[in-house]
Amino acid sequence: EMQLVESGGGVVQPGRSLRLSCAASGFTFENHAMHWVRQAPGKGLEWVSGLTWNSVFIAYADSVKGRFTVSRDNAKNSLYLQMDSLRPEDTALYYCVKTFGDRTFDVWGQGTLVTVSA
Amino acid sequence: QSALTQPPSASGSPGQSVTISCTGTSDDFGTYNYVSWYQHHPGKGPKLLIYGVNKRPSGVPSRFSGSKSGNTASLTVSGLQAEDEADYYCSSYADSRNFVFGSGTKVTVL
């Protein structure tokens, strides 16, 4: 069974940093582009960032560009999101997502909650 | 990167059909047909229902169908069932590896 398990969420003060991790299992991780998608409380889904299987192509939403850094370790079947200069509006449930054909999000984790508050 | 526009809510009685629209610009959809639909129950990760405008992954019932005309994509749920009550989101691959989601539609089964 394909599975994604996020970790690393928590409560952090504005301006501080947090690193999210995602452990993948049940599929060949190195063959697939991976992404992060978030959902703020009471809001809809928002694409955050993604990268290709070999990390050659990386993209970010305008709302996080310059503050967040996505990376992956194919040897460890893991995806990461380094979040710096956090803002209250970054408060959200962050999902790790696998792609199918690089254009479709086909497997989602359960999410890890990030709360940015003084 | 504005969200695609969906109606906030939709409803229907068991057995009826409901159609959800997803409207964007030509920049949102481009010349691609990479429109997907997701079902999201609270407390769970979203579930892929439709990809490539009208394709269903294995295991998704045939009563879920998708279409697209111009800059509007649609999801139709036929033969509504109680378990279909959830939030539904459309998504499109825009360009340069960017993606955009719809604003979300809450479907209520009356």
Side-chain angles (χ1 to χ4, degrees):
Chain A
E1 179 192 2
M2 293 183 283
Q3 194 172 15
L4 299 168
V5 179
E6 303 93 339
S7 61
V11 181
V12 62
Q13 293 179 327
R16 303 298 291 265
S17 299
L18 208 58
R19 189 192 195 210
L20 305 184
S21 299
C22 169
S25 61
F27 64 96
T28 306
F29 180 75
E30 64 186 11
N31 286 353
H32 298 275
M34 297 292 295
H35 292 255
W36 290 97
V37 174
R38 68 185 181 184
Q39 183 175 33
K43 303 291 186 181
L45 299 175
E46 179 190 16
W47 173 78
V48 173
S49 178
L51 73 175
T52 52
W53 68 272
N54 56 3
S55 305
V56 169
F57 294 102
I58 297 177
Y60 298 96
D62 289 344
S63 57
V64 306
K65 201 171 292 183
R67 301 187 298 121
F68 288 13
T69 303
V70 65
S71 63
R72 64 190 296 163
D73 186 335
N74 288 341
K76 295 183 178 179
N77 290 340
S78 294
L79 176 72
Y80 306 101
L81 185 67
Q82 176 67 40
M83 304 185 296
D84 299 322
S85 303
L86 282 162
R87 304 168 180 170
E89 55 264 36
D90 294 319
T91 293
L93 188 61
Y94 283 74
Y95 293 102
C96 170
V97 191
K98 168 188 172 291
T99 65
F100 159 71
D102 278 7
R103 302 286 188 270
T104 300
F105 304 125
D106 68 331
V107 180
W108 297 65
Q110 293 282 76
T112 185
L113 183 62
V114 172
T115 302
V116 184
S117 173
Chain B
Q1 294 175 336
S2 299
L4 302 171
T5 301
Q6 296 180 232
S9 63
S11 62
S13 299
Q16 290 186 331
S17 295
V18 65
T19 297
I20 303 167
S21 61
C22 169
T23 302
T25 66
S26 55
D27 287 340
D28 293 325
F29 292 118
T31 57
Y32 313 116
N33 282 321
Y34 295 122
V35 179
S36 304
W37 288 91
Y38 303 88
Q39 179 188 62
H40 192 197
H41 286 108
K44 290 186 171 184
K47 174 188 176 183
L48 175 65
L49 291 177
I50 297 289
Y51 69 97
V53 176
N54 55 14
K55 300 177 180 60
R56 275 179 292 106
S58 173
V60 174
S62 59
R63 54 199 186 80
F64 291 95
S65 61
S67 63
K68 179 173 172 282
S69 178
N71 291 330
T72 298
S74 298
L75 172 73
T76 296
V77 185
S78 305
L80 267 176
Q81 299 182 5
E83 60 262 35
D84 297 335
E85 187 159 295
D87 295 323
Y88 291 80
Y89 294 90
C90 61
S91 173
S92 177
Y93 171 75
D95 59 18
S96 301
R97 315 283 170 168
N98 290 329
F99 293 81
V100 61
F101 282 94
S103 47
T105 299
K106 182 177 182 59
V107 169
T108 300
V109 180
L110 303 172

